[in-house]
């Protein structure tokens, strides 16, 4: 879709807070982690619990920063972009290069059987019980399921990642990840820091990974359209709370814009919200909140599927195309 020059001219400049979203998220996370560590040290559990909740959301924002880095859009500096991506990858049990390679299939083949990121929901021959099980594991054990999902893409027969150079780099990154975690866990065990590891990393990290999975499912699962707008749920909130959430999630709620304009810096995506309005009967208007989009997702979780190929399956149930925008 091409945007007119007049629209580009009229688009307001990006606010500095929007541009600084990732530094704000990362600084806030470090500050919250420091406060959480002190609360755990003093055993102020009444304070530790809300701080963990804040950490969960900020860690989710960092995972979206990892996604932005895979598009080389997190930092202006190529070197800093790669460093940030590699650091987040290690602590997320991921290979940065593997994620980048597999994520390209998601953009190139959205919702088709070649979309590795939405396996197994894009495969019409996958039994319903297997898709339901995969959804359950990804939504409630995302910290482990997501790395395994990408490892499957890398290790399976017929992997789309064929470059010998890329595969070598992935093996190096996986080796580095294992070495770093051996050092971390050895240090934690030697100094008996399990209490801090549990509260400051494992609990918020596991919940953040699940939040990442739920957001991914909200964006695509249950949709069987053939265009970006019919295969993607976007959220365009009008209130300040919704806009704050969007900022701390690096404007990922404007997900349809991200698919329409993959090379767009996240801070600029709100300016292209008008491109999310439906142009075909099957296409979906943006939701006004994650709550509305979540309700739409939940209706299809009993039989999770993604992609227009499901339209030709005899037991296909009609997709809900009408939702309120208030």
């Amino acid at each position: 879709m091409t945007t007119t020059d007049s629209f580009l001219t009229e688009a307001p400049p990006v606010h500095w807070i929007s541009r600084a979203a990732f530094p704000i998220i990362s600084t806030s996370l470090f500050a919250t982690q420091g406060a959480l560590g002190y609360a755990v040290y003093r055993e102020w559990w009444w304070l530790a619990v809300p701080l963990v909740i804040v950490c969960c959301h900020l860690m989710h924002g960092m995972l979206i920063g990892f996604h932005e880095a895979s598009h080389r859009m997190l930092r202006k500096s190529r070197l800093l972009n790669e460093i940030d991506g590699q650091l987040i990858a290690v602590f997320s049990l991921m290979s940065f290069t593997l994620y980048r390679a597999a994520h390209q299939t998601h953009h190139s083949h959205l919702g088709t059987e070649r979309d590795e990121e939405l396996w197994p929901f894009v495969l019409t021959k996958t039994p319903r019980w297997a898709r339901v099980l995969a959804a359950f594991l990804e939504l409630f054990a995302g910290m482990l399921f997501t790395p395994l999902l990408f490892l499957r893409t890398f290790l399976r027969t017929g992997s789309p990642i064929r470059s010998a150079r890329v595969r070598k780099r992935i093996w190096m990154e996986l080796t580095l990840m294992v070495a770093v975690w051996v050092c971390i866990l050895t240090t934690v065990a030697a100094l008996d820091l399990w209490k801090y590891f549990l509260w400051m990393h494992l609990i918020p990290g596991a919940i953040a990974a699940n939040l990442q999975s739920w957001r991914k499912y909200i964006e695509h699962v249950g949709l069987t359209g053939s265009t970006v707008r019919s295969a993607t749920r976007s959220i365009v909130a009008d209130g300040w709370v919704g806009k704050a959430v969007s900022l701390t999630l690096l404007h990922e709620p404007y997900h349809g814009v991200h698919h329409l304009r993959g090379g767009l810096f996240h801070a600029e995506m709100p300016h292209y919200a008008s491109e999310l309005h439906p142009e075909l009967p099957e296409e979906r208007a943006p939701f006004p909140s994650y709550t509305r989009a979540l309700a739409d997702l939940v209706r299809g979780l009993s039989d999770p599927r993604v992609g227009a190929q499901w339209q030709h399956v005899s037991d296909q149930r009609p997709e809900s195309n009408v939702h309120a925008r208030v």
Side-chain angles (χ1 to χ4, degrees):
M1 180 174 181
T2 303
T3 305
T4 62
D5 292 338
S6 61
F7 182 82
L8 290 172
T9 302
E10 294 170 3
V14 175
H15 196 280
W16 71 267
I17 293 180
S18 191
R19 287 192 175 277
F22 183 70
I24 291 173
I25 293 169
S26 54
T27 302
S28 299
L29 177 60
F30 294 144
T32 305
Q33 285 268 288
L36 176 57
Y38 186 71
V40 171
Y41 172 73
R42 298 300 298 266
E43 297 188 349
W44 291 347
W45 309 123
W46 57 269
L47 179 59
V49 170
L51 287 174
V52 165
I53 294 173
V54 174
C55 278
C56 292
H57 180 70
L58 294 174
M59 284 183 174
H60 182 196
M62 294 293 285
L63 291 174
I64 298 176
F66 174 67
H67 163 264
E68 291 297 300
S70 75
H71 285 279
R72 298 182 174 89
M73 299 298 294
L74 184 62
R75 298 271 201 161
K76 289 184 178 179
S77 165
R78 175 76 174 269
L79 176 61
L80 291 178
N81 185 91
E82 299 302 294
I83 290 175
D84 281 347
Q86 294 288 358
L87 284 174
I88 299 172
V90 166
F91 287 98
S92 303
L93 305 178
M94 288 286 295
S95 158
F96 184 43
T97 301
L98 171 55
Y99 178 84
R100 174 177 280 159
H103 189 62
Q104 288 175 355
T105 71
H106 177 58
H107 279 270
S108 301
H109 310 289
L110 175 62
T112 72
E113 295 186 353
R114 298 174 66 185
D115 186 338
E116 298 287 334
E117 203 163 322
L118 291 173
W119 176 90
F121 313 114
V122 293
L123 303 178
T124 58
K125 294 183 179 179
T126 303
R128 177 180 172 181
W129 68 264
R131 287 181 280 113
V132 170
L133 177 60
F136 178 82
L137 292 174
E138 188 166 13
L139 292 173
F140 296 101
M143 178 179 274
L144 295 177
F145 185 91
T146 299
L148 292 175
L149 173 68
F150 286 93
L151 276 176
R152 171 197 169 273
T153 299
F154 179 54
L155 298 175
R156 72 175 179 85
T157 302
S159 170
I161 306 171
R162 300 190 180 97
S163 168
R165 179 181 61 83
V166 171
R167 293 186 68 87
K168 179 180 179 181
R169 180 165 179 172
I170 291 171
W171 280 118
M172 292 173 63
E173 291 176 2
L174 292 173
T175 302
L176 172 65
M177 179 197 71
V178 171
V180 169
W181 273 102
V182 167
C183 292
I184 290 174
L185 295 177
T186 299
T187 302
V188 168
L191 301 179
D192 193 21
L193 299 174
W194 293 110
K195 179 172 65 175
Y196 297 94
F197 178 76
L198 178 68
W199 280 87
M200 297 177 67
H201 179 78
L202 191 58
I203 293 176
I207 297 174
N210 291 343
L211 290 174
Q212 169 88 344
S213 297
W214 279 98
R215 181 188 51 75
K216 166 187 166 180
Y217 277 49
I218 286 174
E219 290 166 355
H220 297 296
V221 174
L223 302 181
T224 57
S226 58
T227 68
V228 167
R229 298 181 193 87
S230 61
T232 306
R233 295 185 188 91
S234 298
I235 291 88
V236 178
D238 295 327
W240 70 269
V241 174
K243 291 181 178 179
V245 170
S246 180
L247 175 70
T248 54
L249 295 181
L250 300 181
H251 304 99
E252 193 70 3
Y254 295 86
H255 199 63
V257 176
H258 175 61
H259 276 279
L260 290 167
R261 296 175 172 271
L264 195 67
F265 181 53
H266 71 82
E268 300 172 23
M269 289 200 286
H271 296 330
Y272 296 89
S274 63
E275 296 187 1
L276 297 174
H277 295 308
E279 295 183 351
L280 298 173
E282 70 168 353
E283 295 183 339
R284 311 169 67 87
F287 289 81
S289 68
Y290 265 113
T291 303
R292 296 291 185 87
L294 175 62
D296 190 70
L297 161 68
V298 169
R299 283 194 289 270
L301 277 182
S302 62
D303 188 12
R305 50 182 73 184
V306 180
Q309 61 273 18
W310 284 101
Q311 296 176 9
H312 307 295
V313 177
S314 59
D315 64 342
Q316 171 69 42
R317 293 174 297 176
E319 179 183 339
S320 172
N321 286 314
V322 179
H323 57 272
R325 177 169 173 78
V326 295

